[in-house]
Amino acid sequence: MRVRSRVVAAVGTATLLSATLLLGLGPSPVAPAAAAVLTGASMPVQEFVNDGAGGRLWNDYNQTADSSGPNITGRPSALTYGISVHVESRAANGDLVEFDNDNDGGRLWNSYDLTQAADGPTIGADPVAVLYGGTAVHIFAEAADGDLVEYTNDGVGGRLWNSYDLTEETDGPSIGGDPSPVISATSIDVFARATSGDLVEFSNPTAGNGAWTVSDITTSSSGPELNGDPDAVVSGNSFHVYAQGPGGDLYQFASASGAAWAVSDLTEVASGPQVTGRPSPVVVGTTIDVPVRATSGDLVDFVYDGQSWSTVDLTQVSGGPTIGGDPGSVLYGTSSIHVYAEGSDGNHLTEFVNDGAAGRAWNAYDLTAASGGPAIGGDPSPLVYGVTVHVYVGGPPPPEPPEGVGLYGLVAGEPTSQAIEDNWPILGDTGALGTQTVPYTGLNTGTDLATGQAIVASGRRITWLSFWTVSGPVASGPGGTACYTSDCYYADSFAAGQWVAQTIDSYAGQGVPIKPDWVILDPEGYPDNHSGLDSGPGATSADWFSFLQGWANGIVSIDPSLRAAFYADQNEINTFDLSSVQLPEFVAVAFPTLQNILTDTTNVAGYIAFGATCPAASEESTLAGPGWNGSYNTLQFAGQYCAP
């Protein structure tokens, strides 16, 4: 992982005249406000239901507004409780919150803060709930410190709700994502991915009245470590746990009546595709369907018919869209499977159903369009309630990038996906290193595209900071000599901006329909001499302004929708008056000797900090807190991944 030595961030709108971006001197039109440390996009809880109201089969309801409750992040978890519905969710502040249609206080929907009611911990990922015996609600989640915690309405100690740290009780591992609880006879079993990557099982044989134990299924089965969250079902007397494993293959861990665990690579067995994210299995009689997102973006169903495994590409057979994020499945009646997901065609809630309509076994329906409802910004949680289907999901996604503190410098693949799962709201990457010839960037590409693919696969609204190292005029003079005039700086960065914009625009053809929130010039150069802008003949304000002007104009000439920005350290900003440039600046800083020496913070969008230590709660608070007030910040950890 390459360590950044400098970075520049700022938020602003630049003046556009005749398709040319003009970088002016003087105050920038945008001064970002102080930012709180946020963990993921905050959205209201939406309920989509086929209730037939108002002459429409599907309708949507904003239950955050109806309950006067908080916005949520991530995927909710819904269950029926008597004649009411409980929707367990993670509030934007990390508290576990329950939305109920209990009609209390003259209001149909109400919200209750279970973290406060139980005096429990905040949670760091999506909660998952099960109902035992018709009255006992058990909610499991990863706590902010990584422990597996349980919230339950057991009434112990004079409190209706209490919380228990199952990692502490069992001396078990911390977990790295969302758990999957199931009920079998009198027991509750909770499957989760440990931070080591192993699949682990927390088990209580008497649904909360006995002692919890923990076992490592990966170890006992000689199975693989997981690359994503597991999801479990009970079929007959057997547990079946599904998860993404090494290389993106879908794996099944199965155990019948306490027998030894067996592992199968379903991608290999069924000649199926590589997958990403969390599957959503559903038991249909003696068969099992496992809908999951393929790495291509298609919704794919792995099907066990009681004897063998096969795959069906539901996107292809239904004529439906590719999907972002994880699907949510539910069985309606005895054989009707309904799969809900965020469609990639505008973030619409999409339903895939094996209804046999129009001569097709499967069909896809746009529920956002059918209900007149909003686009969604997270993974859906469906529930059959009587004769209707209710789908709970966060949305619409925020129009502006989520603020807070995120990560820079993750390698492509699992760490990026894990960072999204852990609710880091911002990801920064290096699109390419600098070169000595036109377009003066383009070495070691691929990480930027991989970041976009991971964000799309998550279905979440993540702030994407795309950094591109561009060399100064290292060989643009006569005979390949260096040229330090303002014209040469402009020409070189203009060529780089055009090439980068063309590269980013090509991502759409590779399954990434989104674009970075900011495309950021890093003038480190080739080699790392800051493109001659720090010292020598190039170290002038005029050359800096030409370099930044060329970058912005080159990008705009190809794709006016991309937002250009630049990266510099505090000394460069002060020395060359870069705060007067009407472009966002992302500022390079370093822990532990962090000191704000900027004479003007007008253009600062955020701070890009290396030297971070794990855990980094204090460093997160510093960058977004008083004295710094960065809106879009990142931390870089040396040689490790760190959860928020």
Side-chain angles (χ1 to χ4, degrees):
M1 181 169 62
R2 179 169 173 268
V3 177
R4 298 201 75 83
S5 58
R6 343 172 17 256
V7 183
V8 185
V11 176
T13 55
T15 306
L16 216 76
L17 296 177
S18 302
T20 299
L21 193 59
L22 303 179
L23 306 187
L25 301 177
S28 167
V30 176
V37 178
L38 302 179
T39 50
S42 174
M43 297 168 286
V45 178
Q46 301 289 345
E47 178 187 38
F48 291 79
V49 57
N50 57 342
D51 58 3
R56 275 195 303 224
L57 174 59
W58 282 90
N59 288 276
D60 77 281
Y61 305 92
N62 184 329
Q63 302 304 4
T64 288
D66 292 345
S67 67
S68 296
N71 282 351
I72 67 165
T73 66
R75 182 188 65 249
S77 179
L79 53 77
T80 56
Y81 186 89
I83 61 172
S84 65
V85 176
H86 290 202
V87 183
E88 318 300 346
S89 307
R90 180 181 185 272
N93 67 354
D95 282 7
L96 174 62
V97 174
E98 181 177 75
F99 295 81
D100 294 353
N101 60 343
D102 57 7
N103 205 30
D104 189 46
R107 195 162 50 193
L108 175 59
W109 282 87
N110 290 276
S111 68
Y112 304 94
D113 190 318
L114 302 189
T115 292
Q116 298 301 316
D119 193 23
T122 56
I123 59 176
D126 303 335
V128 187
V130 291
L131 183 68
Y132 180 82
T135 58
V137 179
H138 298 261
I139 308 167
F140 302 91
E142 176 191 354
D145 63 359
D147 285 5
L148 174 64
V149 294
E150 175 192 28
Y151 281 79
T152 183
N153 58 341
D154 59 4
V156 171
R159 272 196 307 231
L160 173 60
W161 285 93
N162 287 277
S163 69
Y164 303 93
D165 189 318
L166 303 189
T167 293
E168 283 190 1
E169 285 188 25
T170 61
D171 196 24
S174 296
I175 64 173
D178 304 336
S180 178
V182 292
I183 294 175
S184 177
T186 62
S187 73
I188 295 181
D189 292 80
V190 185
F191 300 91
R193 178 182 182 270
T195 52
S196 65
D198 284 7
L199 174 64
V200 294
E201 176 187 19
F202 292 78
S203 182
N204 189 315
T206 55
N209 296 320
W212 284 89
T213 60
V214 64
S215 58
D216 189 313
I217 296 174
T218 291
T219 298
S220 63
S221 67
S222 299
E225 294 180 355
L226 306 185
N227 287 358
D229 291 339
D231 205 6
V233 291
V234 176
S235 178
N237 60 0
S238 300
F239 290 120
H240 297 259
V241 185
Y242 301 93
Q244 174 193 350
D249 284 10
L250 178 66
Y251 281 82
Q252 175 188 250
F253 296 77
S255 174
S257 298
W261 286 90
V263 181
S264 302
D265 183 332
L266 300 188
T267 294
E268 182 178 303
V269 169
S271 299
Q274 270 73 48
V275 304
T276 182
R278 177 180 179 265
S280 184
V282 58
V283 176
V284 187
T286 59
T287 69
I288 303 175
D289 286 68
V290 189
V292 63
R293 183 184 186 272
T295 52
S296 66
D298 284 9
L299 175 64
V300 176
D301 189 14
F302 286 73
V303 183
Y304 180 67
D305 63 6
Q307 294 182 332
S308 62
W309 284 93
S310 61
T311 60
V312 180
D313 189 317
L314 301 187
T315 292
Q316 297 297 320
V317 300
S318 69
T322 57
I323 66 170
D326 302 334
S329 306
V330 67
L331 180 66
Y332 184 86
T334 58
S335 60
S336 182
I337 302 172
H338 295 239
V339 186
Y340 300 90
E342 178 185 347
S344 59
D345 52 348
N347 302 103
H348 286 195
L349 176 63
T350 303
E351 177 188 50
F352 296 79
V353 187
N354 61 339
D355 58 4
R360 287 192 296 220
W362 285 84
N363 287 276
Y365 302 95
D366 186 329
L367 299 190
T368 290
S371 67
I376 64 173
D379 298 331
S381 177
L383 171 74
V384 174
Y385 181 65
V387 296
T388 55
V389 181
H390 299 242
V391 185
Y392 299 93
V393 63
E400 294 302 318
E403 299 181 357
V405 181
L407 298 181
Y408 169 81
L410 293 171
V411 297
E414 181 185 348
T416 300
S417 299
Q418 187 63 46
I420 296 172
E421 180 66 36
D422 288 341
N423 290 304
W424 286 107
I426 300 169
L427 292 177
D429 64 59
T430 296
L433 302 182
T435 63
Q436 297 186 75
T437 56
V438 175
Y440 300 105
T441 189
L443 183 66
N444 294 346
T445 59
T447 300
D448 194 56
L449 172 61
T451 299
Q453 290 170 330
I455 294 173
V456 170
S458 75
R460 302 189 186 189
R461 178 61 171 103
I462 304 295
T463 299
W464 181 5
L465 306 181
S466 177
F467 293 87
W468 298 80
T469 300
V470 179
S471 298
V474 291
S476 56
T481 60
C483 172
Y484 295 102
T485 67
S486 293
D487 287 344
C488 286
Y489 274 106
Y490 180 93
D492 293 355
S493 61
F494 184 89
Q498 285 194 317
W499 186 87
V500 167
Q502 291 166 346
T503 298
I504 290 173
D505 284 353
S506 74
Y507 295 168
Q510 302 176 72
V512 180
I514 62 173
K515 299 177 183 180
D517 292 290
W518 281 278
V519 185
I520 304 165
L521 169 67
D522 175 0
E524 279 187 348
Y526 184 100
D528 183 7
N529 64 357
H530 297 192
S531 298
L533 291 166
D534 275 353
S535 61
T540 67
S541 294
D543 284 346
W544 269 97
F545 278 67
S546 293
F547 203 45
L548 301 181
Q549 179 86 65
W551 171 253
N553 287 352
I555 288 174
V556 165
S557 70
I558 300 298
D559 186 347
S561 72
L562 294 175
R563 294 192 283 188
F566 71 98
Y567 161 68
D569 62 36
Q570 296 183 84
N571 284 321
E572 290 168 340
I573 293 169
N574 289 342
T575 301
F576 300 106
D577 193 25
L578 303 185
S579 60
S580 63
V581 175
Q582 293 185 21
L583 275 184
E585 61 188 15
F586 290 84
V587 184
V589 295
F591 288 102
T593 57
L594 197 63
Q595 182 180 2
N596 195 333
I597 62 172
L598 289 176
T599 57
D600 189 340
T601 60
T602 299
N603 277 9
V604 174
Y607 300 91
I608 310 303
F610 59 98
T613 56
C614 190
S618 63
E619 292 161 330
E620 293 179 59
S621 299
T622 296
L623 295 182
W628 294 87
N629 300 329
S631 295
Y632 307 98
N633 316 282
T634 64
L635 299 172
Q636 184 172 2
F637 299 92
Q640 66 174 322
Y641 169 75
C642 184

